[in-house]
Amino acid sequence: MKKTGAEIMWECLVREGVEVVFGYPGGANMPIYDAMLNYPIHHVLVRHEQGGAHMADGYARASGKVGVAMGTSGPGATNLVTGIATAMMDSSPVVFITGQVAAHLIGGDAFQEIDVTGITLPITKHNYLVTRADEIAEVVREAFYIARSGRPGPVLIDICKNAQIEQTEFIYPEEVKLLGYQPPARAPQHDLEKAVRLIEKAKRPVILCGHGVIVSGAEEALLHFATKTQTPVASTLLGLGAFPASHPLALGMMGMHGEAHTNLAIQNSDLILAFGMRFDDRVTGNLKTYAPKAKKIHVEIDPSEVHKNVHVDLPLVGDLKNVVSDLVPMVDEYDHDEWLNEINGWKSEADERSIMNWPEDGKLYVAHLVHDLWKATGGGAIITTDVGQHQMWTAQYYALEKPNRWITSGGSGTMGFGLPSAIGAWFANKDQEIWAIAGDGGFQMTAAELTTAVQEGANVKVAIMNNNFLGMVRQWQEFFFEKRYSAVNMVSPDFVKLADAHGVPARRITTREEVDEAIQWARQTPGPVVLEFRVEKEDAVYPMVPAGASLDQMMRRPVRQ
Amino acid sequence: MQYTFIALVENKPGVLNRVASLFRRRNFNIESLAVGRTEKPEVSRMTMVVDCPNGDMDAHKIEANLYKLVNVIDVQDVSRQPSVTRDLALIKVKAAPERRAEVNSLASIFRARIVDVATDSVIVEVTGTEEKIEGMVELLRPLGIMEMVRTGQIAMTRGANAGIRRMPGMEDNGYEYDLEAAEMLP
Ligand SMILES: Cc1ncc(C[n+]2csc(CCOP(=O)(O)OP(=O)(O)O)c2C)c(N)n1
Ligand SMILES: [Mg+2]
C-alpha cells in the first residue's frame, strides 16, 4: 500500500516501540506533524528544542531505550544542537528528526535552510539527509539500530519536505544491512588469558567503573568480578550507580571532585581495570603522573578510545558485559586485605574532613541538603542534575545503589540539562520518584520547560540550590584568579513566584530545620513542585584536583575545629 | 612519519566529507587523498597519505576513528607492506621550440610522455612513485614550471600481501602486547 513519507516515518517509529517524542513544529516538518495525528505516539510540545533534546536524552538514560526528539529546519534544528552534542558526549541513544526544505531547494539558501547534516556531522554517531520518500523506512530502521547498538549515540535524520509528502510503497526492511558497521562483541581468548595473568600478579588492583558498565548492562558481572577478586571499585561521574555505593568494595567517585581515598587508591595501584570508561581529563588529572605504577587493562567497546588518552598495556575490545562475564570464571579468588586496609586508612582520614561531620552552624550547605534528600527518598529516586557545584555535591552525597537513576551531563557539562532531562525520565518511568537538582544559573537556562511539565502533568520535583552565584565558576575564580569575581554574580527572579506563575506549587527554604518537612511536602504534592533552597553562597566543592594537576594533588576541605 | 592507508568505503554521497572531517576533527594532517571507484559499484576506494608524528600510535588512532564512520568498510595500513604506489603528475614546462629536445630527453629518462605541445610550452605526463616524480620535477624546474597538478598517491599491495589491520580484538592485528614488564610487578 502506498503511504506518504511522513506516514512511513511514523509507521517505523511505532515499530521501533517509540511511545513518546519530544518536539516542536515548523514549516519544514508540517507534513510530519499532520501525519502524527493518526499514530499512537504521544507528542510532548516543548518550549525550546534544546529542552526537547534533553528530554529525549533523559528518557533514553532512564529507560535504556532510544529517545526521540524533533524539530523543524533551520533554527529548530540549530536549537537542538546543544542537546545533540550532550547526547554524543555521554553516548546516549537518541534519534533526532529534523525537517528540511524540499530537495530541489537545497543549496539555494531557501527560507530556514541550514546545513544540518553538516553542522551535526562531528556531534552525531551518524546522520542522514533524506531526499526521497522511498529512503525513509530503511533510514529510520538503520538510525535506531545505530543509535542503540555498540557504543550508543545520537543519530540525526534530516528529512526534506518533499520526501515527507511524496507517496511511495511502504516496505519495512526486516533486517538492517550495514557493510561497514559491526560493533565488536567479545574479546579474543588469548587477550583474556593475558588479562588473567596481569590480574594474578596484582597486589593493589582497582576497577574504574564507567558509564559503559551501565550501557552494556554489566552490573551483575562487575559485582561478581569485584567480589571474587576482592578488587575495589571506583566510579566515574557517569558510572555512579553501576556498583552499589554501600558495598564494602565501593570507593565512590574518582577524579577532579572525587573522594581523596579513591584518587589515592588509583595513584597507588599496581593494576587498573578500566571498565567502559575513557580516561577523560576530569578523571585522570595530569596524564604524565597518572597511576604511574599501574599496569592498565582497558575493557572498551569503542576501539578509538583505546590508547586515546592513556596508553594501556592490554585493551580488551568488546561488549563489556561479555568481556567481564568471560573473565569471571577464568580468574581465581583473591583477598587483597592489606591493600583494602590501606585504602580504608585513607578513607577514615578523609572522613574527618568531610562536611558531613561539621557541627550545625545555622547555614544551609548543599552537601547536607543532598544527604537529607537521600535519606528522605531512601536513596531510591531518579536524580537528574544541572551542571556546577550542586552537580558535584549531588554526585558525592546521593549514594546510589542502582543504575539508570543518575542522569547528569558528564562529558559536555551542559547547563540547562537538569529540568528537561527529569521530565524525559518521568516519561520513561512514571511511578518512580524523580528529583531534578539544579543551580540558580542552570535552572534559568531551561526554566521555560516548567510549563511543559505542567502541561504534561509530569511528576518531577525541582530543587534549586540557590547560592546567588554561578557557583562553580566562582569557585575557580576564588581558587585560581585571586578571588576576582567576574560575571558570576547572578540576580535571579523570585523562584517561588516564578513557579507560581506556572501554576507550580513552590516553597523557599532557608534553614536546615525546614528541610525535611519541605521535602516531604514536595513528595506528597502531586505533579511538578519547586523547592528553592537558599544555600551558603561561597561554599566550595572539595576535594578538588586543579585542572592539569596530578590526581593526588588535591585541595582538601580545611579541617574545622 | 608518513603512513599510507587504504580505506574501502560505501559509495554514497557525503562519505568523502565524513572522512575529511574526521581528519580535521582529530587533528591529523592529510598529505594526499585519492578517491575512486573499485571493481564493485557500491564501494569506493581511498588512498590516504597521512602525517603520523607519533608513528604507530597515530596509525592506530586513525584506523579506529575511520572504523567509527558507519560508511567505512575496511581500513589497511600499507605503509610498510610490499605494495605498488603510484602518483600521476601533469607538468606544464616552458619550452621554446629549440629546447624541446632537452625536455624530450629528460622525459624519456623518467619514462614520462609529452602529451601536449604548444608554441612555447609542453605538458609532460609522468607516473610513478613519489620519489620519481619529485626527481622529475627537480630536473624540470630550471626550465621553468608553469603549472603542475598531481593526483595524489594510490596504492595496492603486491600479490597476496595485505596491509596491517590494527584493530585491537581482531586476530592478527599486528599488536603484540609485551607482558614482560608485567612479570616484574612486586
Ligand atoms: C551552557 C553552559 N554555559 C556555561 C557553562 C560553564 N559553567 C559551568 S558550571 C557554571 C556555573 C553554574 O552555576 P549554577 O547553575 O548556579 O550552579 P552552581 O555551580 O552555583 O551550583 C558555569 C557557568 C556550562 N557548563 N554550560
Ligand atoms: Mg548557583
Side-chain angles (χ1 to χ4, degrees):
Chain A
M1 209 185 71
K2 285 206 167 189
K3 289 184 187 299
T4 67
E7 289 169 337
I8 291 174
M9 188 207 92
W10 287 110
E11 193 78 45
C12 292
L13 294 194
V14 170
R15 293 189 192 212
E16 292 294 341
V18 175
E19 304 155 333
V20 56
V21 299
F22 306 90
Y24 212 90
N29 64 4
M30 286 187 67
I32 290 177
Y33 272 86
D34 181 61
M36 180 175 84
L37 297 174
N38 300 331
Y39 289 86
I41 291 181
H42 181 66
H43 178 269
V44 178
L45 179 61
V46 301
R47 295 300 178 274
H48 185 292
E49 288 86 349
Q50 181 188 348
H54 293 329
M55 285 179 208
D57 190 343
Y59 174 88
R61 297 192 205 200
S63 66
K65 294 194 271 188
V66 178
V68 181
M70 307 201 306
T72 188
S73 68
T78 53
N79 274 354
L80 287 170
V81 165
T82 302
I84 299 173
T86 305
M88 182 69 175
M89 291 294 272
D90 289 348
S91 307
S92 191
V94 182
V95 168
F96 292 93
I97 300 172
T98 46
Q100 182 55 283
V101 301
H104 73 277
L105 296 175
I106 283 189
D109 300 323
F111 178 63
Q112 293 190 334
E113 184 202 350
I114 285 181
D115 175 13
V116 176
T117 41
I119 288 177
T120 59
L121 191 69
I123 54 166
T124 50
K125 186 171 172 187
H126 194 53
N127 65 19
Y128 296 90
L129 172 63
V130 176
T131 55
R132 296 195 323 257
D134 62 8
E135 298 169 78
I136 291 179
E138 201 174 283
V139 164
V140 174
R141 187 95 162 83
E142 283 181 17
F144 275 79
Y145 175 67
I146 292 170
R148 71 171 161 255
S149 58
R151 177 181 183 175
V155 179
L156 178 134
I157 312 173
D158 198 25
I159 309 181
C160 289
K161 196 166 180 181
N162 61 296
Q164 301 170 28
I165 298 166
E166 284 161 11
Q167 298 218 343
T168 185
E169 207 61 46
F170 174 51
I171 307 161
Y172 188 69
E174 287 309 322
E175 271 184 291
V176 179
K177 277 184 251 131
L178 289 163
L179 281 176
Y181 180 79
Q182 287 139 351
R186 301 196 111 84
Q189 186 65 21
H190 61 265
D191 282 347
L192 293 174
E193 280 158 18
K194 287 177 193 166
V196 171
R197 283 171 60 202
L198 283 172
I199 293 164
E200 223 163 61
K201 291 270 180 331
K203 296 272 184 292
R204 305 152 78 83
V206 181
I207 293 168
L208 309 185
C209 165
H211 191 200
V213 174
I214 297 169
V215 172
S216 100
E219 299 90 351
E220 283 282 297
L222 168 65
L223 191 63
H224 286 152
F225 181 89
T227 44
K228 187 169 179 189
T229 57
Q230 284 295 296
T231 307
V233 180
S235 275
T236 65
L237 177 66
L238 293 188
L240 291 170
F243 192 75
S246 61
H247 195 285
L249 289 168
L251 294 182
M253 187 166 72
M254 65 178 102
M256 181 175 271
H257 292 297
E259 318 232 8
H261 66 277
T262 312
N263 288 343
L264 288 173
I266 292 168
Q267 286 304 85
N268 288 285
S269 67
D270 64 7
L271 177 68
I272 277 180
L273 293 139
F275 286 179
M277 54 84 73
R278 57 189 175 87
F279 295 104
D280 182 83
D281 56 84
R282 287 296 187 265
V283 306
T284 61
N286 187 344
L287 285 172
K288 290 204 183 75
T289 54
Y290 180 66
K293 289 166 255 172
K295 292 271 139 196
K296 299 174 187 83
I297 300 177
H298 195 178
V299 185
E300 174 57 57
I301 197 162
D302 177 356
S304 77
E305 290 298 347
V306 172
H307 305 310
K308 185 180 81 178
N309 297 331
V310 169
H311 184 83
V312 296
D313 300 275
L314 179 67
L316 297 175
V317 174
D319 188 296
L320 202 117
K321 186 176 177 180
N322 293 339
V323 176
V324 179
S325 307
D326 287 348
L327 276 176
V328 171
M330 294 172 70
V331 293
D332 290 332
E333 286 181 28
Y334 300 100
D335 64 76
H336 294 294
D337 286 349
E338 218 175 299
W339 172 228
L340 294 172
N341 282 337
E342 193 173 350
I343 296 174
N344 278 330
W346 295 324
K347 188 171 182 189
S348 52
E349 199 260 340
D351 283 345
E352 277 165 34
R353 291 171 181 268
S354 166
I355 188 168
M356 289 332 227
N357 296 327
W358 283 18
E360 278 299 325
D361 59 5
K363 291 176 178 166
L364 259 188
Y365 294 101
V366 179
H368 290 164
L369 281 170
V370 171
H371 179 73
D372 292 347
L373 181 67
W374 174 78
K375 274 224 298 246
T377 56
I382 290 181
I383 302 288
T384 76
T385 76
D386 222 88
V387 170
Q389 291 185 311
H390 64 279
Q391 177 189 31
M392 292 300 124
W393 278 313
T394 310
Q396 291 175 337
Y397 295 105
Y398 199 95
L400 292 154
E401 297 294 312
K402 296 214 169 108
N404 301 101
R405 295 185 179 178
W406 169 241
I407 297 173
T408 192
S409 168
S412 150
T414 304
M415 283 173 71
F417 183 76
L419 171 61
S421 62
I423 296 171
W426 178 75
F427 280 96
N429 205 334
K430 293 188 179 170
D431 301 325
Q432 181 87 31
E433 180 170 2
I434 299 173
W435 283 81
I437 319 281
D440 45 326
F443 174 75
Q444 291 183 66
M445 283 208 172
T446 50
E449 303 305 340
L450 260 188
T451 334
T452 312
V454 172
Q455 185 166 352
E456 297 294 331
N459 191 15
V460 296
K461 314 302 174 194
V462 185
I464 304 172
M465 303 296 177
N466 185 0
N467 53 9
N468 274 107
F469 269 120
L470 295 176
M472 187 57 94
V473 179
R474 186 210 59 75
Q475 175 173 344
W476 282 51
Q477 290 175 349
E478 177 188 338
F479 288 0
F480 312 118
F481 293 86
E482 297 157 350
K483 218 171 175 178
R484 286 156 55 85
Y485 288 168
S486 174
V488 289
N489 218 318
M490 253 216 149
V491 174
S492 294
D494 180 326
F495 289 119
V496 173
K497 278 194 187 153
L498 183 80
D500 192 45
H502 288 82
V504 173
R507 279 199 196 173
R508 178 173 301 115
I509 296 97
T510 51
T511 63
R512 182 100 186 254
E513 291 81 66
E514 305 163 78
V515 171
D516 271 333
E517 205 271 320
I519 291 175
Q520 290 311 340
W521 169 77
R523 300 180 76 204
Q524 277 143 26
T525 308
V529 174
V530 168
L531 297 182
E532 180 202 358
F533 295 95
R534 286 295 183 91
V535 299
E536 177 58 11
K537 290 179 68 166
E538 295 188 72
D539 193 9
V541 183
Y542 291 102
M544 176 170 193
V545 181
S550 179
L551 198 56
D552 45 15
Q553 287 165 6
M554 286 162 279
M555 302 169 75
R556 307 289 297 274
R557 186 173 283 278
V559 184
R560 266 220 180 166
Q561 307 312 334
Chain B
M1 218 178 310
Q2 291 196 344
Y3 278 65
T4 307
F5 300 94
I6 294 172
L8 299 179
V9 303
E10 286 183 86
N11 182 9
K12 287 188 177 167
V15 177
L16 176 60
N17 183 24
R18 286 177 200 278
V19 171
S21 164
L22 180 153
F23 282 95
R24 177 191 54 79
R25 155 140 165 64
R26 298 286 173 188
N27 207 10
F28 284 104
N29 208 1
I30 305 183
E31 294 291 332
S32 83
L33 170 62
V35 197
R37 297 186 191 177
T38 65
E39 70 284 5
K40 295 187 190 122
E42 72 278 14
V43 177
S44 305
R45 178 161 168 148
M46 298 186 176
T47 308
M48 292 164 277
V49 181
V50 189
D51 202 25
C52 294
N54 303 308
D56 285 0
M57 236 34 240
D58 285 346
H60 158 80
K61 262 188 203 170
I62 288 169
E63 285 177 42
N65 277 292
L66 280 168
Y67 275 113
K68 278 180 91 159
L69 300 179
V70 170
N71 307 112
V72 171
I73 302 162
D74 183 49
V75 186
Q76 302 176 44
D77 170 7
V78 299
S79 318
R80 270 157 291 160
Q81 303 313 108
S83 51
V84 179
T85 62
R86 289 291 180 270
D87 195 347
L88 183 148
L90 295 177
I91 309 167
K92 190 182 284 177
V93 226
K94 272 201 198 124
E98 64 276 15
R99 305 205 64 171
R100 274 190 210 142
E102 194 182 336
V103 178
N104 239 328
S105 70
L106 278 177
S108 67
I109 299 172
F110 283 89
R111 290 207 220 147
R113 296 194 301 150
I114 301 213
V115 291
D116 182 62
V117 180
T119 43
D120 52 2
S121 71
V122 297
I123 297 178
V124 181
E125 177 198 305
V126 56
T127 319
T129 60
E130 289 267 313
E131 298 87 69
K132 174 174 161 185
I133 292 176
E134 297 296 336
M136 171 104 228
V137 169
E138 280 322 301
L139 288 176
L140 290 176
R141 205 180 287 285
L143 299 176
I145 294 178
M146 299 162 73
E147 244 184 274
M148 176 166 86
V149 59
R150 290 170 67 164
T151 55
Q153 218 178 97
I154 53 173
M156 190 175 279
T157 50
R158 291 177 189 273
N161 289 292
I164 298 177
R165 293 183 173 84
R166 254 187 208 83
M167 285 302 87
M170 281 188 181
E171 298 293 334
D172 301 323
N173 54 23
Y175 262 156
E176 262 319 309
Y177 292 102
D178 178 15
L179 288 190
E180 236 171 69
E183 318 291 342
M184 285 155 39
L185 283 177

